[in-house]
Amino acid sequence: MSTSDVYAASKGAAQKGRVIAETCANCHGIDSEIKIAGFPTLAGQKYKYMAKQLREMRASAKIRAGTQIFKSSDTSSLMRARRSNDFMDPFVIELSDTEIDDISAYYASLRCRAVMTALPLPAPKLENRCQICHGKRGIAKNSNIPNIAGQDALYLEQQMQAFWSAKLQKDDGQERCRSAIMEGQAAKLSDKDIADISLYYSRLPCDG
Ligand code: HEC
Ligand code: HEC
């Protein structure tokens, strides 16, 4: 965790977060990690990044449920970044801001313990671009940018594909883009680039 993350995490009560995280345990684990293909690992993820994702997922879930109105004129990143997901919606829709902060503090405080079952791969050329933001070995310095080292390969691939197709969906009026930065990064990649870079990061140790 970066210094600012440690500061932020100590504000949210990680211990309270652990109680709420029991509802997340089936899919994200709680004291130890569980790995389900396509599901992200959260242990040791950046606090600020997670708290932002959860707020966006909650807004998306409410918009989808029809309990919050989406104003297309609202250009704030929260309203534009829509991240609705059938698995997550029921679990985030009722969370308060404090609960989101506490759960994020809890997961950020966990040491990632991914057991590497396969050897690291040589870095694809493309990695030069990613490391500017995600760090040299997939551990970001900036707390708004997620760590991607040791993350589930299928999850990474699905997110990259979602960024890639976000433009099309936007043209469709659906506004499902969750990050303009990443949409731009993924836009020119082939399916093979996406598969290669996802596998590469999934095999890097998540603890640096
Ligand atoms: C039924 C399974 C399930 C449960 C329960 C669940 N999640 Fe998730 N979660 C997922 C899946 C699947 C994704 C990937 C969604 C996507 O494609 O964007 C996800 C994504 C996330 C992300 C985004 C991770 C990232 O790297 O951007 C966060 C944060 C998260 N979940 C937190 C939670 C929290 C906190 C809870 C409990 C309150 C919870 N989840 C409960 C399945 C679940
Ligand atoms: C200019 C900075 C920047 C560059 C360059 C960049 N990223 Fe990102 N990336 C981000 C930010 C910021 C986010 C968080 C977006 C959000 O808040 O939803 C992100 C999110 C992601 C995610 C989602 C992770 C998760 O847990 O859901 C993946 C995967 C990813 N980036 C992969 C890559 C890859 C692969 C490259 C190189 C091809 C790359 N990024 C280049 C800034 C960048």
Side-chain angles (χ1 to χ4, degrees):
M1 268 198 287
S2 70
T3 320
S4 59
D5 257 18
V6 173
Y7 171 68
S10 63
K11 280 206 303 186
Q15 278 321 306
K16 278 194 218 145
R18 192 192 177 285
V19 178
I20 312 161
E22 310 241 344
T23 61
C24 323
N26 281 346
C27 301
H28 296 293
I30 183 155
D31 292 321
S32 62
E33 295 187 60
I34 51 166
K35 288 252 177 202
I36 307 174
F39 287 27
T41 3
L42 306 178
Q45 186 52 281
K46 299 279 192 283
Y47 168 84
K48 269 200 204 160
Y49 167 77
M50 265 189 293
K52 172 176 173 277
Q53 298 307 311
L54 288 169
R55 280 175 171 75
E56 289 172 356
M57 285 175 158
R58 181 182 60 186
S60 305
K62 285 186 176 171
I63 291 162
R64 208 172 168 201
T67 56
Q68 184 173 314
I69 294 163
F70 174 62
K71 287 184 270 159
S72 55
S73 58
D74 187 340
T75 52
S76 82
S77 59
L78 177 65
M79 293 308 290
R80 277 180 59 240
R82 302 186 63 187
R83 247 203 114 170
S84 195
N85 176 277
D86 287 340
F87 289 110
M88 281 292 298
D89 278 14
F91 296 94
V92 288
I93 197 161
E94 302 289 356
L95 294 179
S96 68
D97 282 346
T98 313
E99 286 171 328
I100 285 183
D101 292 344
D102 291 349
I103 301 179
S104 304
Y106 175 66
Y107 277 114
S109 76
L110 295 181
R111 226 183 113 73
C112 82
R113 279 167 297 210
V115 181
M116 292 296 142
T117 49
L119 289 174
L121 296 163
K125 262 210 187 104
L126 181 61
E127 188 266 347
N128 276 336
R129 267 167 52 191
C130 318
Q131 65 164 263
I132 297 168
C133 297
H134 291 282
K136 229 180 163 115
R137 309 263 304 160
I139 308 289
K141 289 210 173 78
N142 180 324
S143 56
N144 293 308
I145 303 181
N147 298 332
I148 49 178
Q151 185 53 281
D152 178 75
L154 182 60
Y155 171 74
L156 290 176
E157 195 168 343
Q158 284 169 347
Q159 293 307 310
M160 293 299 289
Q161 291 288 355
F163 291 132
W164 186 92
S165 60
K167 268 206 171 71
L168 301 181
Q169 290 171 331
K170 230 198 243 167
D171 292 345
D172 230 15
Q174 292 186 49
E175 288 271 5
R176 284 185 57 91
C177 171
R178 61 172 265 214
S179 161
I181 295 176
M182 278 308 300
E183 189 186 313
Q185 288 294 321
K188 293 181 198 90
L189 304 185
S190 66
D191 283 350
K192 183 168 184 324
D193 288 336
I194 290 179
D196 289 350
I197 199 82
S198 300
L199 195 62
Y200 167 73
Y201 278 115
S202 74
R203 291 205 191 170
L204 288 182
C206 61
D207 49 7

